[in-house]
Amino acid sequence: KQWYQRRVRVFAYAKVNRLADLEEFISSPNIAQIQQVGDRCFDEKLYEPARILYNNVSNYARLASTLVYLGEFQQAVDGARKANSTKTWKEVCYACVEAGEFRMAQMCGLHIVVHADELEELINFYQSRGFFQELIQLLEAALGLERAHMGMFSELAILYSKYNPTKMREHLELFWSRVNIPKVLKAAEQAHLWPELVFLYDKYEEYDNAILTMMAHPTQCWKEPLFKDIITKVANIELYYKALSFYLDYKPMLLNDLLLVLTPRLDHTRAVTFFQKVGQLHLCLPYVKSVQSHNNKVINEALNNIYIDNEDYDSLRASIDSYNNFDNIALAQRMEKHELIEFRRIAAYLFKMNNRWKQAVELCKKDLLFKDAMEYAADSRNMEIAEDLMGWFLDNENYESFAAGTFVMYDMLKPDVILELAWRHNIMDFAMPYLIQCVREYTTKVDKLEVSDETRTKEAETNPQPLVMGEQLMLTPAPGMMPMNNMYGMNQPMYNGGYMGSM
């Protein structure tokens, strides 16, 4: 009964608030159950006696709880530190928060957030009471701890997205590798933080979503260097063409810069067809020129159309000469009625390239392109076309061109025809250079023939040839052999005194 009496006595001191007698009694050796008495005092809200009792038995966890009720938060924190229990830290922390002692609460919270399974409860406690900034300060202070884990960085990023968006980007740039990106992605999307969302997509290698986000919210998150860097990494090639459409609407003057980046990956036929369909092919002229080296039919025809629309006949001629994969006849027929003579000239050139000599010469005749007409007639190697052109020159009294034609088409003209035409039109002076040349040519040929004949004659005289019958020499029989004629019934003497009569 002695221990029971002592326990009652201790509780009696506590009940009547005789704290000095209580301290003196428990400091002396006794067998009272101080822990049980302290718990009873705590339950009956006798916190001061309970503090003395818990301190006596070094029950720091209960001591910290008691000090919280007494409002002695600093001492409560010290007690929690000695107890070093997560439960105690939470109790003290929550009490400090309720009391508005956020500095003390932060000291306690630093020992709680390092436990990933306790973090969510702590965050909910702060948020439910509206202490958002204090919670953010707590997590910011905890980032430097050795035991900092991914959950802390992730939750802080989420808190920034909700309550302090201006600091989220800086936080992500510093700690993106230590956050739970899928979780933070969801928070950023809910908060409509598009630049941060693109940043996270890029780091998480979801390039397709990053491009789609930038195109959906260009005023907030589109940046040219970033866009061009990410677009080359996307898996869905359809995004290339969506990006082209986006640039046409949003940044048309930068379209060629994007095309330069995408050139190795684009289907050029599809790209050019797309620009033709939307009527913006002129806008991407540098790109089309850069890929013409592939000699693609669609590209060549598109570029040729641009040159025609721009009336750039020099570039069109260069394109035709360098790249031949296009519908030559269709282009020639389109340009033969063009209002500019240079384009009609190119049409004649195209007819000539496709061996349509008569059409080429006729088109040159219409535009009075005498030089081109003569050159095409000469290239055709067609005597009828050449003579027809010469007759046309005379019909139009263009004697100078007639004279020039005799020089350009010299190989295809007959001297008698030229002489007759010149005589009939009384222009022998214009034909005389041609006739002189013909006489000179024929004279040279005759001289060569005479020299060749003399040479053969001399060689025959100095080196007589043996008589041959066909390719076999006619030789006499050797001694002791029967003459060949005797084999055919001719009267010849027999060899060695034989019978000499008719066979």
Side-chain angles (χ1 to χ4, degrees), residues 393-452:
F393 285 147
L394 294 177
D395 292 342
N396 290 275
E397 298 183 356
N398 190 349
Y399 303 136
E400 291 80 3
S401 295
F402 175 83
T406 60
F407 173 76
V408 176
M409 299 176 288
Y410 179 82
D411 294 337
M412 289 179 298
L413 299 176
K414 293 183 178 180
D416 59 325
V417 174
I418 297 302
L419 184 60
E420 178 186 355
L421 291 174
W423 175 74
R424 289 173 59 187
H425 290 81
N426 195 26
I427 54 169
M428 292 298 296
D429 290 345
F430 291 95
M432 191 56 64
Y434 169 78
L435 297 175
I436 293 172
Q437 180 64 30
C438 288
V439 172
R440 175 62 179 173
E441 182 178 353
Y442 286 119
T443 303
T444 302
K445 289 180 180 180
V446 171
D447 292 343
K448 288 182 179 180
L449 289 173
E450 289 179 352
V451 172
S452 176

Side-chain angles (χ1 to χ4, degrees), residues 359-405:
Q359 287 178 270
V361 173
E362 289 297 326
L363 191 56
C364 292
K365 287 161 64 175
K366 289 180 180 179
D367 291 325
L368 305 181
L369 299 173
F370 306 129
K371 180 181 177 181
D372 290 352
M374 289 184 284
E375 290 178 350
Y376 297 162
D379 291 340
S380 71
R381 313 306 299 172
N382 188 316
M383 187 179 297
E384 181 182 352
I385 294 177
E387 292 179 355
D388 179 72
L389 179 61
M390 297 297 284
W392 181 80
F393 285 147
L394 294 177
D395 292 342
N396 290 275
E397 298 183 356
N398 190 349
Y399 303 136
E400 291 80 3
S401 295
F402 175 83

Side-chain angles (χ1 to χ4, degrees), residues 312-346:
D312 187 358
Y313 51 82
D314 290 331
S315 298
L316 178 61
R317 181 64 177 265
S319 174
I320 291 173
D321 289 337
S322 301
Y323 308 102
N324 59 359
N325 188 11
F326 61 93
D327 191 339
N328 289 253
I329 301 303
L331 183 61
Q333 291 174 344
R334 176 184 175 186
M335 291 191 299
E336 67 178 334
K337 297 181 180 179
H338 199 281
E339 60 182 4
L340 295 182
I341 188 172
E342 286 296 335
F343 287 98
R344 298 196 296 273
R345 186 179 184 184
I346 293 176

Side-chain angles (χ1 to χ4, degrees), residues 36 56-57 68 72 75 80-82 94 99 113 132 228 276 302 312 325 337 341 346 384:
Q36 289 79 356
N56 181 264
V57 296
V68 165
E72 298 178 6
Q75 295 180 18
R81 185 177 292 109
K82 292 178 181 179
Y94 295 164
V113 295
F132 310 120
K228 292 194 296 185
Q276 286 178 322
D312 187 358
N325 188 11
K337 297 181 180 179
I341 188 172
I346 293 176
E384 181 182 352

Side-chain angles (χ1 to χ4, degrees), residues 92-152:
V92 176
C93 178
Y94 295 164
C96 292
V97 171
E98 294 286 6
E101 296 288 341
F102 296 108
R103 187 177 67 84
M104 299 296 175
Q106 180 175 320
M107 294 173 63
C108 298
L110 293 176
H111 295 275
I112 301 173
V113 295
V114 294
H115 301 285
D117 52 344
E118 303 290 348
L119 181 59
E120 184 176 357
E121 181 184 347
L122 177 67
I123 292 174
N124 291 336
F125 182 85
Y126 269 84
Q127 289 190 119
S128 64
R129 287 156 179 78
F131 300 130
F132 310 120
Q133 295 303 321
E134 289 76 8
L135 176 59
I136 290 175
Q137 292 172 5
L138 168 59
L139 291 177
E140 288 176 342
L143 296 183
L145 299 176
E146 293 183 1
R147 297 173 61 187
H149 53 83
M150 180 179 288
M152 295 163 53

Side-chain angles (χ1 to χ4, degrees), residues 209-484:
N209 288 331
I211 290 297
L212 289 173
T213 302
M214 280 193 278
M215 290 193 293
H217 308 280
T219 58
Q220 299 179 41
C221 60
W222 177 85
K223 292 182 179 179
E224 183 189 10
L226 180 62
F227 189 93
K228 292 194 296 185
D229 179 58
I230 296 178
I231 191 65
T232 59
K233 303 175 184 177
V234 299
N236 185 2
I237 62 174
E238 292 298 322
L239 290 178
Y240 296 155
Y241 306 99
K242 290 184 179 179
L244 296 180
S245 179
F246 164 73
Y247 263 67
L248 280 175
D249 296 335
Y250 185 67
K251 288 289 183 180
M253 301 309 296
L254 298 177
L255 178 61
N256 284 288
D257 294 338
L258 178 64
L259 286 168
L260 183 64
V261 173
L262 294 178
T263 295
R265 299 169 177 82
L266 282 176
D267 179 350
H268 303 304
T269 301
R270 179 176 176 182
V272 171
T273 303
F274 166 74
F275 287 120
Q276 286 178 322
K277 184 177 180 181
V278 298
Q280 298 295 340
L281 190 60
H282 290 75
L283 195 60
C284 58
L285 181 59
Y287 158 72
V288 181
K289 286 183 178 180
S290 69
V291 299
Q292 194 182 13
S293 57
H294 295 86
N295 200 20
N296 180 286
K297 182 177 181 181
V298 174
I299 295 174
N300 291 339
E301 292 181 349
L303 197 55
N304 291 341
N305 290 334
I306 292 177
Y307 291 145
I308 294 173
D309 293 341
N310 293 341
E311 298 183 350
D312 187 358
Y313 51 82
D314 290 331
S315 298
L316 178 61
R317 181 64 177 265
S319 174
I320 291 173
D321 289 337
S322 301
Y323 308 102
N324 59 359
N325 188 11
F326 61 93
D327 191 339
N328 289 253
I329 301 303
L331 183 61
Q333 291 174 344
R334 176 184 175 186
M335 291 191 299
E336 67 178 334
K337 297 181 180 179
H338 199 281
E339 60 182 4
L340 295 182
I341 188 172
E342 286 296 335
F343 287 98
R344 298 196 296 273
R345 186 179 184 184
I346 293 176
Y349 176 70
L350 287 172
F351 283 131
K352 171 251 184 183
M353 289 177 61
N354 289 271
N355 297 327
R356 296 195 175 190
W357 307 105
K358 190 171 183 179
Q359 287 178 270
V361 173
E362 289 297 326
L363 191 56
C364 292
K365 287 161 64 175
K366 289 180 180 179
D367 291 325
L368 305 181
L369 299 173
F370 306 129
K371 180 181 177 181
D372 290 352
M374 289 184 284
E375 290 178 350
Y376 297 162
D379 291 340
S380 71
R381 313 306 299 172
N382 188 316
M383 187 179 297
E384 181 182 352
I385 294 177
E387 292 179 355
D388 179 72
L389 179 61
M390 297 297 284
W392 181 80
F393 285 147
L394 294 177
D395 292 342
N396 290 275
E397 298 183 356
N398 190 349
Y399 303 136
E400 291 80 3
S401 295
F402 175 83
T406 60
F407 173 76
V408 176
M409 299 176 288
Y410 179 82
D411 294 337
M412 289 179 298
L413 299 176
K414 293 183 178 180
D416 59 325
V417 174
I418 297 302
L419 184 60
E420 178 186 355
L421 291 174
W423 175 74
R424 289 173 59 187
H425 290 81
N426 195 26
I427 54 169
M428 292 298 296
D429 290 345
F430 291 95
M432 191 56 64
Y434 169 78
L435 297 175
I436 293 172
Q437 180 64 30
C438 288
V439 172
R440 175 62 179 173
E441 182 178 353
Y442 286 119
T443 303
T444 302
K445 289 180 180 180
V446 171
D447 292 343
K448 288 182 179 180
L449 289 173
E450 289 179 352
V451 172
S452 176
D453 184 63
E454 291 177 1
T455 302
R456 284 196 301 270
T457 302
K458 290 180 180 179
E459 289 179 352
E461 292 175 354
T462 56
N463 300 311
Q465 299 294 326
L467 183 61
V468 296
M469 180 179 292
E471 295 181 357
Q472 187 176 8
L473 295 178
M474 297 182 62
L475 303 177
T476 59
M481 297 292 292
M482 180 181 292
M484 294 296 294

